[in-house]
Amino acid sequence: MRNAPTILHLDMDAFFASVEQASKPSLRGKAVVVGGIGPRGVVATASYEARVFGVHSAMPTAQARRLAPNAAYLMPRFALYRSISDQVMALLRELSPLVEPLSLDEAFVDLEAGNTAWDEASAREAGARLRADIRAVTGLTGSVGLAASKMLAKIASERAKPDGLVLIEPGTERALLSPMPVRTLPGVGPATGDHLRRAGITTVQELSEAGEDELVRLLGKAHGHALYAMALARDDRPVVAEREAKSVSVEDTYAVDIHDRLRIGLEVRRLADRCVRRLRGAGLSGRTIVLKVRRYDFSTLTRSETLRGPTDDPSVIREAAARLLDSVDTTGGVRLLGVGVSGLADYTQEDLFAQAAGELAEETPEESAPDFGPERPGPAAPEWRAGQDVRHPEYGHGWVQGSGLGRVTVRFETPLSAPGRVRTFRSDEAGLEPADPLPLVAQVEAATAEGETDGG
């Protein structure tokens, strides 16, 4: 581990929800929940105002509605989130060639590799400048952590939230880590945390006091060695420049073995939907669907099916995962299930998958809520979705607040306007049409105008 705090971790604050608040003046300072809005939907991101009520990501939307009934519930606009993420990642690459994105809204940066920082003062200056640049370019806020390792930089950014900067000074790492729960460390998930708790280990200090040999006995050689080093604030993992993802997958381990075949099928369907959300969040699709099943006796089976072309269609992926499950004997119960997609691409060939047409025709948007679906309605039978950008020839740009019973309610406002008026139309209103998102900040238009002035 280096001596200077030149590893930077950036985490955009409540990213999806913050984008929606920035683009919709009437929602600023209000509780906003982004995700699937149907009865089987799942929260993708909650604004800090919604988190006050206990709403958090991965929570069922139905539960979120009970906790925060007055929040605004919006479908995600992934194309917009990706475009803003690209702007943020471009700012990071101006700091260093070593940028390791973890998701659309999170990344590590090695400032030393870019000769951007070499000590505490220069690292703090680089972090402050980055936060200012992000706000100027996107209108959003990000929290920055600075430390001598990736683990500590991520911990620092968590402490900086929201909209802050925290630098962990060299020499203070052990004192900072000691009282923290073991789940703070990378690689300690719910199962490992429970295993350590049963052994009487709940804090990082207790982890270090247990000793390396005891941790190896409890967790195995590789995991035990790694956790002991991290408990001593040692983390030599380098920042790795962006590499092409080979697969996207999700899996769940169950505290009690699942025996009921129907429930196993429902779990596989739920995992397939989660996998689709990750695919779409990364702007990817894939050809090969993979099912992983760990049975009651710890034997692990993997089955795969390769399609004729890449897809991110939830119905297709659910169907393929269900077919793969049909080939697996789950007698005796299962401990773990997983669904993944490999053979990734940045485009889809949905026309190749006619086998899903029947299911798609039968489902309503509410019934397939975990599928975030298309953001624009079809011309024949408009299906307006909450949060969707629209335009009206008389009232201008707006967004859909809600729809149903043959009506659609729209609030007409832009990112640069005051909170706008609400109007309700028939859902087949001739003048109402889908629109592209507008820029969140004025600089884009200002720069264009300045260029035209200079040219004159």
Side-chain angles (χ1 to χ4, degrees), residues 10-44:
L10 170 71
D11 197 347
M12 299 295 290
D13 299 321
F15 183 49
F16 295 174
S18 293
V19 171
E20 298 302 339
Q21 289 176 317
S23 66
K24 301 172 172 62
S26 59
L27 296 184
R28 292 170 191 168
K30 306 287 182 62
V32 174
V33 178
V34 179
I37 61 176
R40 291 192 294 106
V42 176
V43 174

mmCIF file of all heavy atoms in Angstrom, residues 10-44:
data_model
loop_
_atom_site.group_PDB
_atom_site.id
_atom_site.type_symbol
_atom_site.label_atom_id
_atom_site.label_comp_id
_atom_site.label_asym_id
_atom_site.label_seq_id
_atom_site.Cartn_x
_atom_site.Cartn_y
_atom_site.Cartn_z
ATOM 1 N N LEU A 10 -14.953 7.878 -6.314
ATOM 2 C CA LEU A 10 -16.085 8.767 -6.567
ATOM 3 C C LEU A 10 -17.370 7.970 -6.518
ATOM 4 O O LEU A 10 -17.479 6.913 -7.146
ATOM 5 C CB LEU A 10 -15.965 9.438 -7.932
ATOM 6 C CG LEU A 10 -17.215 10.211 -8.388
ATOM 7 C CD1 LEU A 10 -17.389 11.481 -7.558
ATOM 8 C CD2 LEU A 10 -17.158 10.532 -9.872
ATOM 9 N N ASP A 11 -18.347 8.483 -5.795
ATOM 10 C CA ASP A 11 -19.677 7.875 -5.761
ATOM 11 C C ASP A 11 -20.691 9.005 -5.942
ATOM 12 O O ASP A 11 -20.804 9.893 -5.093
ATOM 13 C CB ASP A 11 -19.906 7.164 -4.427
ATOM 14 C CG ASP A 11 -21.059 6.183 -4.485
ATOM 15 O OD1 ASP A 11 -21.832 6.227 -5.462
ATOM 16 O OD2 ASP A 11 -21.198 5.373 -3.556
ATOM 17 N N MET A 12 -21.384 9.003 -7.081
ATOM 18 C CA MET A 12 -22.402 10.016 -7.329
ATOM 19 C C MET A 12 -23.550 9.835 -6.338
ATOM 20 O O MET A 12 -23.963 8.713 -6.040
ATOM 21 C CB MET A 12 -22.910 9.922 -8.759
ATOM 22 C CG MET A 12 -21.826 10.144 -9.816
ATOM 23 S SD MET A 12 -21.148 11.817 -9.789
ATOM 24 C CE MET A 12 -22.557 12.745 -10.401
ATOM 25 N N ASP A 13 -24.074 10.938 -5.824
ATOM 26 C CA ASP A 13 -25.070 10.886 -4.756
ATOM 27 C C ASP A 13 -26.451 10.536 -5.300
ATOM 28 O O ASP A 13 -27.019 11.291 -6.098
ATOM 29 C CB ASP A 13 -25.133 12.241 -4.042
ATOM 30 C CG ASP A 13 -23.807 12.608 -3.401
ATOM 31 O OD1 ASP A 13 -23.139 11.708 -2.854
ATOM 32 O OD2 ASP A 13 -23.433 13.795 -3.447
ATOM 33 N N ALA A 14 -26.995 9.359 -4.847
ATOM 34 C CA ALA A 14 -28.345 8.926 -5.248
ATOM 35 C C ALA A 14 -28.554 9.195 -6.742
ATOM 36 O O ALA A 14 -29.496 9.886 -7.137
ATOM 37 C CB ALA A 14 -29.400 9.650 -4.412
ATOM 38 N N PHE A 15 -27.704 8.632 -7.569
ATOM 39 C CA PHE A 15 -27.518 9.071 -8.955
ATOM 40 C C PHE A 15 -28.813 9.164 -9.751
ATOM 41 O O PHE A 15 -29.173 10.238 -10.256
ATOM 42 C CB PHE A 15 -26.516 8.146 -9.644
ATOM 43 C CG PHE A 15 -26.176 8.536 -11.052
ATOM 44 C CD1 PHE A 15 -25.818 9.835 -11.368
ATOM 45 C CD2 PHE A 15 -26.198 7.601 -12.065
ATOM 46 C CE1 PHE A 15 -25.480 10.191 -12.664
ATOM 47 C CE2 PHE A 15 -25.861 7.944 -13.362
ATOM 48 C CZ PHE A 15 -25.500 9.240 -13.660
ATOM 49 N N PHE A 16 -29.530 8.048 -9.907
ATOM 50 C CA PHE A 16 -30.729 8.074 -10.752
ATOM 51 C C PHE A 16 -31.734 9.102 -10.227
ATOM 52 O O PHE A 16 -32.308 9.891 -10.988
ATOM 53 C CB PHE A 16 -31.407 6.702 -10.797
ATOM 54 C CG PHE A 16 -30.590 5.612 -11.446
ATOM 55 C CD1 PHE A 16 -31.044 4.302 -11.431
ATOM 56 C CD2 PHE A 16 -29.380 5.878 -12.065
ATOM 57 C CE1 PHE A 16 -30.313 3.282 -12.022
ATOM 58 C CE2 PHE A 16 -28.634 4.870 -12.648
ATOM 59 C CZ PHE A 16 -29.101 3.570 -12.624
ATOM 60 N N ALA A 17 -31.968 9.078 -8.912
ATOM 61 C CA ALA A 17 -32.939 10.002 -8.326
ATOM 62 C C ALA A 17 -32.475 11.449 -8.451
ATOM 63 O O ALA A 17 -33.283 12.352 -8.691
ATOM 64 C CB ALA A 17 -33.186 9.648 -6.859
ATOM 65 N N SER A 18 -31.170 11.682 -8.312
ATOM 66 C CA SER A 18 -30.650 13.045 -8.439
ATOM 67 C C SER A 18 -30.803 13.571 -9.857
ATOM 68 O O SER A 18 -31.090 14.757 -10.059
ATOM 69 C CB SER A 18 -29.179 13.083 -8.020
ATOM 70 O OG SER A 18 -29.034 12.822 -6.643
ATOM 71 N N VAL A 19 -30.623 12.699 -10.849
ATOM 72 C CA VAL A 19 -30.844 13.112 -12.235
ATOM 73 C C VAL A 19 -32.300 13.526 -12.428
ATOM 74 O O VAL A 19 -32.592 14.547 -13.060
ATOM 75 C CB VAL A 19 -30.464 11.977 -13.212
ATOM 76 C CG1 VAL A 19 -30.907 12.321 -14.638
ATOM 77 C CG2 VAL A 19 -28.967 11.712 -13.183
ATOM 78 N N GLU A 20 -33.222 12.739 -11.873
ATOM 79 C CA GLU A 20 -34.644 13.063 -12.026
ATOM 80 C C GLU A 20 -34.980 14.377 -11.324
ATOM 81 O O GLU A 20 -35.751 15.193 -11.847
ATOM 82 C CB GLU A 20 -35.509 11.923 -11.473
ATOM 83 C CG GLU A 20 -35.335 10.587 -12.187
ATOM 84 C CD GLU A 20 -35.640 10.651 -13.677
ATOM 85 O OE1 GLU A 20 -36.351 11.580 -14.104
ATOM 86 O OE2 GLU A 20 -35.153 9.780 -14.421
ATOM 87 N N GLN A 21 -34.425 14.622 -10.157
ATOM 88 C CA GLN A 21 -34.677 15.878 -9.458
ATOM 89 C C GLN A 21 -34.091 17.058 -10.224
ATOM 90 O O GLN A 21 -34.704 18.128 -10.302
ATOM 91 C CB GLN A 21 -34.084 15.822 -8.047
ATOM 92 C CG GLN A 21 -34.843 14.900 -7.106
ATOM 93 C CD GLN A 21 -34.171 14.798 -5.755
ATOM 94 O OE1 GLN A 21 -32.956 14.688 -5.664
ATOM 95 N NE2 GLN A 21 -34.956 14.828 -4.690
ATOM 96 N N ALA A 22 -32.904 16.860 -10.814
ATOM 97 C CA ALA A 22 -32.283 17.951 -11.570
ATOM 98 C C ALA A 22 -33.069 18.282 -12.823
ATOM 99 O O ALA A 22 -33.123 19.442 -13.255
ATOM 100 C CB ALA A 22 -30.846 17.577 -11.939
ATOM 101 N N SER A 23 -33.707 17.293 -13.424
ATOM 102 C CA SER A 23 -34.440 17.532 -14.674
ATOM 103 C C SER A 23 -35.880 17.969 -14.431
ATOM 104 O O SER A 23 -36.546 18.435 -15.358
ATOM 105 C CB SER A 23 -34.423 16.271 -15.543
ATOM 106 O OG SER A 23 -35.140 15.224 -14.930
ATOM 107 N N LYS A 24 -36.364 17.822 -13.192
ATOM 108 C CA LYS A 24 -37.766 18.128 -12.875
ATOM 109 C C LYS A 24 -37.804 19.069 -11.674
ATOM 110 O O LYS A 24 -37.783 18.625 -10.520
ATOM 111 C CB LYS A 24 -38.520 16.831 -12.586
ATOM 112 C CG LYS A 24 -38.508 15.832 -13.748
ATOM 113 C CD LYS A 24 -39.108 14.504 -13.322
ATOM 114 C CE LYS A 24 -39.293 13.553 -14.489
ATOM 115 N NZ LYS A 24 -38.051 13.163 -15.162
ATOM 116 N N PRO A 25 -37.859 20.383 -11.890
ATOM 117 C CA PRO A 25 -37.799 21.354 -10.784
ATOM 118 C C PRO A 25 -38.819 21.109 -9.682
ATOM 119 O O PRO A 25 -38.548 21.376 -8.509
ATOM 120 C CB PRO A 25 -38.053 22.694 -11.487
ATOM 121 C CG PRO A 25 -37.602 22.478 -12.894
ATOM 122 C CD PRO A 25 -37.926 21.050 -13.210
ATOM 123 N N SER A 26 -39.987 20.596 -10.028
ATOM 124 C CA SER A 26 -41.029 20.375 -9.022
ATOM 125 C C SER A 26 -40.671 19.263 -8.047
ATOM 126 O O SER A 26 -41.316 19.128 -6.997
ATOM 127 C CB SER A 26 -42.362 20.057 -9.704
ATOM 128 O OG SER A 26 -42.237 18.901 -10.524
ATOM 129 N N LEU A 27 -39.653 18.444 -8.368
ATOM 130 C CA LEU A 27 -39.273 17.329 -7.496
ATOM 131 C C LEU A 27 -38.056 17.645 -6.630
ATOM 132 O O LEU A 27 -37.658 16.816 -5.806
ATOM 133 C CB LEU A 27 -38.988 16.072 -8.333
ATOM 134 C CG LEU A 27 -40.169 15.487 -9.109
ATOM 135 C CD1 LEU A 27 -39.761 14.201 -9.805
ATOM 136 C CD2 LEU A 27 -41.364 15.246 -8.193
ATOM 137 N N ARG A 28 -37.464 18.806 -6.805
ATOM 138 C CA ARG A 28 -36.272 19.139 -6.026
ATOM 139 C C ARG A 28 -36.637 19.292 -4.546
ATOM 140 O O ARG A 28 -37.574 19.989 -4.201
ATOM 141 C CB ARG A 28 -35.623 20.403 -6.575
ATOM 142 C CG ARG A 28 -35.032 20.154 -7.961
ATOM 143 C CD ARG A 28 -34.587 21.418 -8.666
ATOM 144 N NE ARG A 28 -34.294 21.122 -10.073
ATOM 145 C CZ ARG A 28 -34.102 22.039 -10.993
ATOM 146 N NH1 ARG A 28 -34.157 23.326 -10.674
ATOM 147 N NH2 ARG A 28 -33.847 21.681 -12.243
ATOM 148 N N GLY A 29 -35.873 18.594 -3.713
ATOM 149 C CA GLY A 29 -36.158 18.600 -2.284
ATOM 150 C C GLY A 29 -37.268 17.665 -1.871
ATOM 151 O O GLY A 29 -37.636 17.614 -0.699
ATOM 152 N N LYS A 30 -37.810 16.901 -2.824
ATOM 153 C CA LYS A 30 -38.923 15.983 -2.550
ATOM 154 C C LYS A 30 -38.429 14.531 -2.580
ATOM 155 O O LYS A 30 -37.376 14.224 -3.120
ATOM 156 C CB LYS A 30 -40.032 16.156 -3.603
ATOM 157 C CG LYS A 30 -40.534 17.583 -3.767
ATOM 158 C CD LYS A 30 -41.388 18.007 -2.602
ATOM 159 C CE LYS A 30 -41.928 19.421 -2.819
ATOM 160 N NZ LYS A 30 -42.799 19.531 -3.991
ATOM 161 N N ALA A 31 -39.214 13.644 -1.996
ATOM 162 C CA ALA A 31 -38.899 12.213 -2.022
ATOM 163 C C ALA A 31 -39.145 11.662 -3.422
ATOM 164 O O ALA A 31 -40.246 11.793 -3.964
ATOM 165 C CB ALA A 31 -39.754 11.472 -1.000
ATOM 166 N N VAL A 32 -38.118 11.047 -4.007
ATOM 167 C CA VAL A 32 -38.197 10.487 -5.363
ATOM 168 C C VAL A 32 -37.676 9.052 -5.323
ATOM 169 O O VAL A 32 -36.610 8.784 -4.756
ATOM 170 C CB VAL A 32 -37.370 11.310 -6.361
ATOM 171 C CG1 VAL A 32 -37.346 10.641 -7.735
ATOM 172 C CG2 VAL A 32 -37.908 12.729 -6.461
ATOM 173 N N VAL A 33 -38.427 8.141 -5.935
ATOM 174 C CA VAL A 33 -38.035 6.732 -6.003
ATOM 175 C C VAL A 33 -38.020 6.323 -7.464
ATOM 176 O O VAL A 33 -39.006 6.499 -8.179
ATOM 177 C CB VAL A 33 -39.010 5.836 -5.213
ATOM 178 C CG1 VAL A 33 -38.603 4.368 -5.330
ATOM 179 C CG2 VAL A 33 -39.053 6.262 -3.743
ATOM 180 N N VAL A 34 -36.906 5.777 -7.915
ATOM 181 C CA VAL A 34 -36.748 5.342 -9.305
ATOM 182 C C VAL A 34 -36.650 3.825 -9.333
ATOM 183 O O VAL A 34 -35.887 3.226 -8.564
ATOM 184 C CB VAL A 34 -35.486 5.955 -9.932
ATOM 185 C CG1 VAL A 34 -35.312 5.480 -11.373
ATOM 186 C CG2 VAL A 34 -35.538 7.476 -9.877
ATOM 187 N N GLY A 35 -37.421 3.199 -10.215
ATOM 188 C CA GLY A 35 -37.361 1.742 -10.321
ATOM 189 C C GLY A 35 -38.600 1.212 -11.017
ATOM 190 O O GLY A 35 -39.335 1.945 -11.677
ATOM 191 N N GLY A 36 -38.853 -0.091 -10.888
ATOM 192 C CA GLY A 36 -40.078 -0.680 -11.414
ATOM 193 C C GLY A 36 -41.244 -0.206 -10.569
ATOM 194 O O GLY A 36 -41.203 -0.285 -9.335
ATOM 195 N N ILE A 37 -42.292 0.293 -11.195
ATOM 196 C CA ILE A 37 -43.371 0.919 -10.434
ATOM 197 C C ILE A 37 -44.603 0.021 -10.302
ATOM 198 O O ILE A 37 -45.586 0.428 -9.693
ATOM 199 C CB ILE A 37 -43.788 2.272 -11.054
ATOM 200 C CG1 ILE A 37 -44.294 2.078 -12.486
ATOM 201 C CG2 ILE A 37 -42.629 3.250 -11.029
ATOM 202 C CD1 ILE A 37 -44.811 3.366 -13.117
ATOM 203 N N GLY A 38 -44.558 -1.183 -10.846
ATOM 204 C CA GLY A 38 -45.684 -2.106 -10.731
ATOM 205 C C GLY A 38 -45.642 -2.887 -9.428
ATOM 206 O O GLY A 38 -44.764 -2.698 -8.592
ATOM 207 N N PRO A 39 -46.585 -3.799 -9.217
ATOM 208 C CA PRO A 39 -46.667 -4.556 -7.953
ATOM 209 C C PRO A 39 -45.463 -5.450 -7.713
ATOM 210 O O PRO A 39 -45.184 -5.805 -6.572
ATOM 211 C CB PRO A 39 -47.948 -5.385 -8.111
ATOM 212 C CG PRO A 39 -48.210 -5.425 -9.582
ATOM 213 C CD PRO A 39 -47.700 -4.124 -10.125
ATOM 214 N N ARG A 40 -44.726 -5.845 -8.769
ATOM 215 C CA ARG A 40 -43.515 -6.659 -8.588
ATOM 216 C C ARG A 40 -42.248 -5.851 -8.840
ATOM 217 O O ARG A 40 -41.177 -6.406 -9.014
ATOM 218 C CB ARG A 40 -43.551 -7.874 -9.523
ATOM 219 C CG ARG A 40 -44.619 -8.881 -9.132
ATOM 220 C CD ARG A 40 -44.449 -10.190 -9.882
ATOM 221 N NE ARG A 40 -44.694 -10.007 -11.316
ATOM 222 C CZ ARG A 40 -43.753 -9.997 -12.249
ATOM 223 N NH1 ARG A 40 -42.504 -10.142 -11.919
ATOM 224 N NH2 ARG A 40 -44.063 -9.834 -13.517
ATOM 225 N N GLY A 41 -42.383 -4.520 -8.860
ATOM 226 C CA GLY A 41 -41.231 -3.676 -9.118
ATOM 227 C C GLY A 41 -40.257 -3.650 -7.955
ATOM 228 O O GLY A 41 -40.581 -4.010 -6.828
ATOM 229 N N VAL A 42 -39.042 -3.198 -8.254
ATOM 230 C CA VAL A 42 -37.976 -3.104 -7.260
ATOM 231 C C VAL A 42 -37.355 -1.715 -7.355
ATOM 232 O O VAL A 42 -37.197 -1.167 -8.450
ATOM 233 C CB VAL A 42 -36.892 -4.183 -7.507
ATOM 234 C CG1 VAL A 42 -35.730 -4.013 -6.531
ATOM 235 C CG2 VAL A 42 -37.497 -5.574 -7.366
ATOM 236 N N VAL A 43 -37.019 -1.126 -6.209
ATOM 237 C CA VAL A 43 -36.407 0.197 -6.174
ATOM 238 C C VAL A 43 -34.976 0.120 -6.710
ATOM 239 O O VAL A 43 -34.184 -0.710 -6.271
ATOM 240 C CB VAL A 43 -36.391 0.754 -4.733
ATOM 241 C CG1 VAL A 43 -35.620 2.070 -4.663
ATOM 242 C CG2 VAL A 43 -37.813 0.923 -4.222
ATOM 243 N N ALA A 44 -34.657 0.973 -7.677
ATOM 244 C CA ALA A 44 -33.294 1.078 -8.183
ATOM 245 C C ALA A 44 -32.508 2.103 -7.376
ATOM 246 O O ALA A 44 -31.370 1.848 -6.966
ATOM 247 C CB ALA A 44 -33.295 1.461 -9.663
#
